Structures are given as C-alpha cells and as structure tokens.
Amino acid sequence: MVETIQYPKKKQNKVVRYDSIADYECKTVHSIVNESPVLHVSFVVDGLPVNLPMIGQMGSFDHPSAGLDEPLDLYIHGYVSARMMNTAGTEGMKVCVCASIVDGYILTYTPYSHNYNYRSSVIHGTATLVTDPDEKLYAMTIITDKIVPGRYENSRTPPTKGELAATSILKITVDSASAKVRAGYGVESAEDIIDENKKIWTGVMPISHIFEPPVPSAYNEVPLPSYISDFIEARNKESEEYIKYSTTVAPK
Amino acid sequence: MVETIQYPKKKQNKVVRYDSIADYECKTVHSIVNESPVLHVSFVVDGLPVNLPMIGQMGSFDHPSAGLDEPLDLYIHGYVSARMMNTAGTEGMKVCVCASIVDGYILTYTPYSHNYNYRSSVIHGTATLVTDPDEKLYAMTIITDKIVPGRYENSRTPPTKGELAATSILKITVDSASAKVRAGYGVESAEDIIDENKKIWTGVMPISHIFEPPVPSAYNEVPLPSYISDFIEARNKESEEYIKYSTTVAPK
C-alpha cells in the first residue's frame, strides 16, 4: 500500500458526523480547495464571526514543485480590511476556510434520507500578510493560474509597482484540516422499503459546473488560445466523468 | 419608482469594497441564499472561528406567504453539535452565513484587472434551535422544497416521531445583511490599452451550474414526475439566460 500524507486528527478537525466519508489526506483536502472557484474565509472580529467569499490556492513558496499530496500553505487574495490587516500583520489571525462543491441531490423515499453528493474541505489556520515581494509574486502567479493554468505568463505581467502595492495576499499556514466526500446513489432505511412508497420517484439529480464557450471582449483581436480551450475541454470532460462516477458508485 | 424593502446599512454589513456592486435589497439577498445549494455558516467556539457547509432556506413561519422581497428568517438544516446546541439553545449563537454563486471568470490584459462574475450574500444573525414541532415541520418543508419545489408533498411525509426528534433545525434571525452582484464584461485600466497588449486574449469564461438528466435509483419504478422535469428545465433555462446577460451587460 502506498503511504499517503494525512492531516493528523485533532480535536479541532476530527469529523464526528458521517465520519465514514471523512478524508484527512492532504491530496483530497488540497484538491477540493484548488478546484473550488470560491472559498469562504471566516474569522473573528470583536468576538463576532465574519465570513467572506475570497479566492485562494494551495501552494508552497519554499518548495514550489510540491504536489497536492504534500504539506502546503493556502494563499488568499481578496480585500483585506484595515482591521484584518492589523490583526494578521502582527501575531497572525485565526481563520477557518471552507471550500464546497455540490455534485448533486439525492432523492429517496423520505426527506429524512435525502442527501447531497458533495466535496468539502475545512481548513483551520493562521493568516499573516505576505510582505516579501517574491512570495507575493509567487502567490499572484498561482492564484491567476487557478483561473486558467498558464494565464499569468500569457497576460501583461509582472505587475507594476503600484499594482503590487495595492494587492494584499494572506498566507494561511494550516493548523489542521479535513475533507468530506459524499458520492453515490441514495440509501433507504429498511422500514421505508414498502410497496406504498414505490409511487415515489427516487434517484440522483446530478449538478455539473460547466465552462460554457468563452465570450471574447469587444476589443479582443486574437483567436482563443489553446491553453484556454484545452483547459476548458479537460475540465468539462473531468466534470462529465465525475458525474457518471458519483451517480453510480456505492456510497461509503 | 417602486418602493423596495432594504436591509439598513449598519457598521457590520456596510460594503466598503466595490460598493458600486453592493445590494441591500431583501429580494437580492434572499434570492441568492435560496438559489445556493450550499451555505457556509460560521460561528465562534472558544474564541476561534468555525465554518461549515450547511443547507438552508429563507422563510417565514409566522407569514408563510411572505415573498422574497419581505423580511424573512433563515432556516438551517445540518448537524448541530452538542456545543452548538448548548449555545444556540439558550441566548442564541451569533453566526455569519455566506452564500456564493460564481458565474464566470473575467480575463483582461493584466491579472490585476481580472475579476469574477458572481452573486454573494452575507447574513449576520442570531441562531436558535427550533423546538416548536409545527415550526420544525415548516422548516423541513421549505428545506426539502429547496431541492425541488413540491418534493416534500411528493415524498413519504410527514416524518416519523423518531425522524423529527433526530432532525435539528436552526432558525437564524437576521441582524444585518448585504449582497454583491458582479455581472458584465471586463474593464481595462487606461494605461493597459496599448498595442503591445493586443496579443492577449480577453473576454469572459462563463460557468454554468447545470442539472444533468436525473439518474433513477436501481429500485425506482416510476417515470420522472413533471414537478422534477419542469423544475430542471426552468432552472437550466434561467441559467442559460443569466449567462447571456452576465457576459454582455455593462458592469456597474
């Protein structure tokens, strides 16, 4: 059996509910974060929770060639308020980041056993402001390439001094993390498998997240480059294959 | 001009960044929550942020016929830990709920002016456990009908006493809320509109969230009912129309 790197189970990240679908592997946690267009970043201000949508990508500035199955940091791009900056700039700000992808609805005889097919990651970590210009450029590169791999080098880069100064990047070092992956058909409770319920439609309603044909801007003068069209084709194919898998596999 | 009900701008919910796309209308905030398959619910435990994916729907138990443009509560279904229950069961637990839908990526000349088309709602509120059986049934109905309108009455309902007892519902009364809606093509900064940048592809990469054909369970014996097929058709058509709108409209 191949050894995989897992996040240790601590009090903070141990999944207690539906633990059969819990997954602590670095690769699972990191893949879901990188595949989610948006992350939800929560932190505490004056004792109250704040939760904001932000864009982020897992990476390692010290070991840029590290794979998704290795320890990584989470780089977040987004508006960092003065208050956040003050907190994150000194001792670091505690954050909890959640990434979720919904793959479908599972309809069974009774609402109680309805379910979702989904993939989610939760990362508990400490956020600090990135001040090193090289690390900031590294983060800007991987966050731009999250949109389409290769976009950074195929756009007007590097950023100007003004752009660099106006961009805030938070680096989140991971304290603990976990993922949940639910895939498969629905499961009925034994007492619901009766003739009377057979009139009820049951099955999976798959949801796919599809890249539609790109719409060039009014001033665009070049054909769609292959780094974009190939990426879209590959992602849509993956999506189609995952739908097939997630609707037919036996659930854990 | 038609008067619309808006959330008052308070310190907590006033959008300071990109305030031109901020929207405080009840209808906008509530629609995004109801359209998001998953919500991210954050709260504070021992001074640290926790953020979990949960399912929820806006509604009013006291005025069930209230529209999305009227004041509503947010009913959340999901695993409520003993710790959450203790907090929410007494004086209420402060939560911040975020719903986000990503509609596309906006590629411009330089990463600095790249953007997302998206719709997001942020609700600050106070969560309490629903204990009244009638209110619990109301919440279970609207949350089931979030998946497909009409599903509750077309499945094995009402829940058994055991199911009712085993289901936790949180009611979130809204303290303040706001939404952000970014739609439209990309915007370049004046200094980037130069010949040298014309080799860069620019435009919108729309993302649609599509209901694929439902997959019946192995034991299903009935054809797909029209309340499901009609819903899927309507939602996919809406999605297609929104993509057209969001890629062509002038951004705010």
Side-chain angles (χ1 to χ4, degrees):
Chain A
M1 199 178 144
V2 180
E3 194 92 14
T4 59
I5 302 178
Q6 304 224 345
Y7 282 106
K9 292 180 206 176
K10 301 181 188 174
K11 188 185 166 199
Q12 197 176 40
N13 68 320
K14 194 176 179 307
V15 174
V16 287
R17 182 73 164 176
Y18 302 123
D19 62 341
S20 66
I21 59 167
D23 192 328
Y24 299 90
E25 280 192 29
C26 283
K27 193 177 178 180
T28 310
V29 172
H30 298 165
S31 301
I32 294 167
V33 170
N34 283 6
E35 211 178 304
S36 299
V38 64
L39 309 176
H40 293 87
V41 182
S42 69
F43 50 96
V44 181
V45 175
D46 297 337
L48 295 173
V50 178
N51 205 0
L52 294 174
M54 290 182 161
I55 302 168
Q57 188 81 342
M58 306 297 312
S60 172
F61 176 60
D62 293 328
H63 305 283
S65 64
L68 285 172
D69 57 346
E70 294 179 66
L72 298 172
D73 300 308
L74 173 55
Y75 288 95
I76 297 274
H77 169 266
Y79 173 59
V80 178
S81 68
R83 187 177 276 175
M84 279 172 76
M85 215 176 302
N86 287 342
T87 315
T90 52
E91 81 276 26
M93 177 176 66
K94 290 292 176 184
V95 296
C96 184
V97 182
C98 189
S100 305
I101 302 165
V102 174
D103 297 309
Y105 298 149
I106 297 160
L107 279 60
T108 54
Y109 287 140
T110 179
Y112 188 72
S113 48
H114 278 53
N115 211 332
Y116 272 34
N117 277 335
Y118 67 98
R119 292 164 279 162
S120 71
S121 283
V122 174
I123 288 179
H124 299 268
T126 308
T128 48
L129 258 187
V130 175
T131 50
D132 176 61
D134 288 337
E135 187 167 9
K136 216 165 163 180
L137 278 178
Y138 166 78
M140 287 161 88
T141 306
I142 64 167
I143 291 168
T144 305
D145 284 354
K146 177 190 184 84
I147 297 177
V148 186
R151 182 62 183 174
Y152 188 85
E153 67 170 28
N154 285 290
S155 57
R156 199 275 288 148
T157 49
T160 64
K161 276 185 184 174
E163 288 170 353
L164 199 59
T167 304
S168 296
I169 302 281
L170 287 174
K171 175 189 193 165
I172 297 171
T173 54
V174 181
D175 298 333
S176 68
S178 63
K180 273 186 174 182
V181 178
R182 203 283 176 195
Y185 46 75
V187 178
E188 304 288 355
S189 61
E191 54 268 38
D192 270 317
I193 305 172
I194 50 172
D195 278 356
E196 203 188 320
N197 283 341
K198 287 189 177 167
K199 62 180 188 238
I200 301 168
W201 188 88
T202 53
V204 183
M205 286 172 59
I207 300 173
S208 64
H209 311 284
I210 293 293
F211 285 100
E212 303 289 344
V215 180
S217 71
Y219 52 86
N220 178 67
E221 295 189 2
V222 293
L224 191 69
S226 60
Y227 73 92
I228 300 180
S229 57
D230 290 353
F231 168 74
I232 289 177
E233 199 184 326
R235 283 296 295 271
N236 283 352
K237 200 178 161 209
E238 270 170 37
S239 182
E240 197 185 316
E241 281 165 4
Y242 192 78
I243 288 291
K244 271 184 207 157
Y245 162 79
S246 70
T247 52
T248 53
V249 72
K252 278 187 193 167
Chain B
M1 198 177 142
V2 180
E3 194 92 12
T4 60
I5 303 179
Q6 303 223 346
Y7 282 107
K9 291 179 204 175
K10 301 181 189 175
K11 189 185 165 199
Q12 198 176 39
N13 68 320
K14 194 176 179 307
V15 174
V16 287
R17 181 74 163 178
Y18 302 124
D19 62 342
S20 66
I21 60 167
D23 192 329
Y24 299 90
E25 280 193 29
C26 283
K27 193 177 179 181
T28 311
V29 172
H30 299 165
S31 301
I32 294 167
V33 170
N34 283 6
E35 212 178 303
S36 298
V38 65
L39 309 176
H40 293 87
V41 182
S42 68
F43 50 97
V44 181
V45 176
D46 297 337
L48 294 174
V50 177
N51 204 0
L52 294 174
M54 289 182 162
I55 301 168
Q57 188 81 341
M58 306 296 313
S60 172
F61 176 59
D62 294 328
H63 305 282
S65 64
L68 285 172
D69 57 346
E70 293 180 66
L72 298 171
D73 301 308
L74 172 56
Y75 287 95
I76 296 275
H77 170 266
Y79 174 59
V80 177
S81 68
R83 188 177 278 175
M84 280 171 77
M85 215 176 302
N86 287 341
T87 315
T90 53
E91 81 276 26
M93 179 175 67
K94 289 291 176 186
V95 297
C96 185
V97 182
C98 189
S100 305
I101 302 164
V102 174
D103 297 309
Y105 298 150
I106 298 159
L107 279 60
T108 53
Y109 287 140
T110 179
Y112 188 72
S113 48
H114 278 53
N115 212 332
Y116 273 33
N117 277 335
Y118 66 99
R119 292 164 279 163
S120 71
S121 283
V122 174
I123 288 179
H124 299 268
T126 308
T128 48
L129 258 186
V130 176
T131 51
D132 177 59
D134 287 337
E135 186 167 8
K136 215 164 165 180
L137 278 177
Y138 167 78
M140 287 160 89
T141 306
I142 64 168
I143 291 168
T144 305
D145 284 354
K146 178 190 182 83
I147 297 178
V148 186
R151 182 62 183 174
Y152 188 84
E153 67 170 29
N154 285 290
S155 58
R156 198 275 288 147
T157 47
T160 65
K161 276 185 184 173
E163 288 170 353
L164 199 60
T167 304
S168 297
I169 303 281
L170 287 174
K171 176 189 192 164
I172 297 170
T173 53
V174 181
D175 298 332
S176 67
S178 63
K180 274 187 174 181
V181 178
R182 202 284 175 195
Y185 46 75
V187 179
E188 305 287 356
S189 61
E191 54 267 38
D192 269 316
I193 304 172
I194 51 172
D195 279 355
E196 203 188 320
N197 283 341
K198 288 189 176 167
K199 61 179 190 239
I200 301 169
W201 188 87
T202 53
V204 183
M205 287 172 59
I207 300 173
S208 65
H209 311 283
I210 292 294
F211 285 100
E212 302 289 344
V215 180
S217 71
Y219 53 85
N220 178 67
E221 295 187 4
V222 294
L224 191 69
S226 61
Y227 73 91
I228 300 180
S229 57
D230 289 354
F231 168 73
I232 289 176
E233 198 184 327
R235 283 296 296 270
N236 284 352
K237 200 177 161 212
E238 270 170 37
S239 181
E240 198 186 316
E241 281 166 4
Y242 192 78
I243 288 291
K244 268 184 210 157
Y245 162 78
S246 71
T247 51
T248 51
V249 72
K252 277 186 192 167

